[in-house]
Amino acid sequence: MTPVADLVDPGASRRCLVMGVVNVTPDSFSDGGRWTSADDAVARGLSLVADGADLVDVGGESTRPGALRIDEDEELRRVLPVVEGLAASGVVVSVDTMRSRVAERALEAGARLVNDVSGGRADPAMMPLVAASGSPMVLMHWRGHSDRMQDLTDYDDVVEDVLRELQQRVDAAVAAGVALEQVVVDPGLGFSKTGDQNWTLLAALHRFAALGLPVLVAASRKGFLGGLLAHDGAGGTHRVRPPEQRDDATAAITTLAAAAGAWAVRVHEVAASADAVRVVERLEQERAR
Ligand code: PMM
């Protein structure tokens, strides 16, 4: 069994880690269509590591709002050669999938972490598979597939409700035989959340950290940043900032997430976030003196 703490440099720095993203998809909102050949995707992953990524998350299925599912064979075809190529180069690879069979094959190909945005809800075989494999797992807060997730944004209190629903997923994982030391939690920014609800969750990150489990924060390039940074254009148009122009705001969130005790941030452009987590670490060392 690999505890989360031993995934990257066991015993080394306790700073917030940086997870670089490689989406091997034609249609992700953030970087879709850019790394569709396995060679390009592996090269991209290696360049993220050169920029300071501690681990690389490889996904083959877009989860942008409204996306339809692809079939399992297509997901395997996209993901496996990239996982294999990066793992063979010594990269710590995480596989972003809701399917137990994709997770299983990716782990065989060298992945070390399963990142399931459905928190084990999309495929009932996922948690038993993770338990048997001994690999760590990200449980993200999730209420439904992308084609209907934005219809599922009713909360009494978004922070309380997300915390409770995440805790239920942690309990389900433990009941399936996953050790607590293997579990990472993620509030699931942008998944069944309105723009404002994402900000409310970010403002309460310390409460997620207080669950006592490592927390992953994945704000990178998401729509709520595009909305925040929108500006009024000619002719009274309201122009949402496009995804590739949201990286500075993403790095700002990395700083805040690291300061709130996040275990890792998941980002598309790594360099600024890699610097930010080191700034936060240095300040914390200074405060502890
Ligand atoms: N968001 C996306 C994909 N995978 N994984 C986790 N754990 N948390 C997230 O919030 C998350 C994720 C969607 O973003 P992308 O299409 O830009 O990768």
Side-chain angles (χ1 to χ4, degrees):
M1 193 268 285
T2 308
V4 179
D6 288 353
L7 196 57
V8 175
D9 281 349
S13 151
R14 307 300 291 180
R15 69 169 163 74
C16 178
L17 301 176
V18 179
M19 172 190 276
V21 181
V22 178
N23 285 319
V24 198
T25 61
D27 58 341
S28 288
F29 76 95
S30 48
D31 61 347
R34 294 192 60 194
W35 341 104
T36 43
S37 91
D39 286 350
D40 286 353
V42 170
R44 174 62 179 167
L46 293 175
S47 94
L48 293 175
V49 171
D51 284 345
D54 299 291
L55 63 169
V56 173
D57 191 39
V58 178
E61 180 172 44
S62 170
T63 49
R64 76 184 150 72
L68 297 176
R69 301 216 62 189
I70 55 162
D71 72 31
E72 183 170 291
D73 287 342
E74 175 63 13
E75 191 181 347
L76 284 167
R77 192 192 64 72
R78 291 180 187 178
V79 156
L80 286 183
V82 183
V83 170
E84 210 163 65
L86 288 172
S89 302
V91 177
V92 179
V93 177
S94 124
V95 61
D96 185 343
T97 186
M98 293 183 265
R99 290 188 167 111
S100 60
R101 176 129 177 79
V102 175
E104 182 176 29
R105 295 282 304 277
L107 291 170
E108 285 165 10
R112 307 264 308 279
L113 172 70
V114 176
N115 174 22
D116 180 351
V117 298
S118 83
R121 291 181 63 189
D123 179 350
M126 182 62 99
M127 283 181 176
L129 177 270
V130 171
S133 75
S135 86
M137 172 181 206
V138 178
L139 296 174
M140 196 193 81
H141 177 262
W142 183 89
R143 285 183 157 186
H145 284 289
S146 300
D147 56 350
R148 62 183 195 106
M149 69 179 176
Q150 289 314 101
D151 300 333
L152 303 170
T153 58
D154 281 348
Y155 298 89
D156 289 332
D157 174 320
V158 68
V159 175
E160 290 288 341
D161 293 357
V162 170
L163 279 168
R164 189 186 58 255
E165 290 170 29
L166 257 184
Q167 185 62 53
Q168 286 164 356
R169 300 319 299 156
V170 174
D171 294 345
V174 170
V178 178
L180 262 188
E181 294 77 10
Q182 284 168 262
V183 175
V184 174
V185 292
D186 178 338
L189 299 173
F191 289 79
S192 297
K193 317 288 183 316
T194 64
D196 285 346
Q197 287 166 347
N198 292 310
W199 290 110
T200 305
L201 289 165
L202 278 173
L205 272 187
H206 56 285
R207 295 187 54 199
F208 287 83
L211 284 175
L213 295 169
V215 179
L216 174 65
V217 176
S220 185
R221 295 188 168 183
K222 285 193 173 161
F224 69 101
L225 299 178
L228 174 76
L229 303 171
H231 66 275
D232 296 327
T237 51
H238 190 62
R239 288 163 42 90
V240 169
R241 181 85 67 87
E244 64 283 0
Q245 292 172 25
R246 300 173 190 166
D247 291 323
D248 293 346
T250 298
I253 290 187
T254 292
T255 310
L256 298 169
W263 166 74
V265 289
R266 177 183 180 279
V267 295
H268 300 87
E269 287 296 336
V270 161
S273 285
D275 287 356
V277 295
R278 286 167 175 79
V279 168
V280 173
E281 179 186 36
R282 181 65 187 87
L283 265 181
E284 280 169 359
Q285 287 166 351
E286 200 59 25
R287 289 201 179 107
R289 280 202 321 147

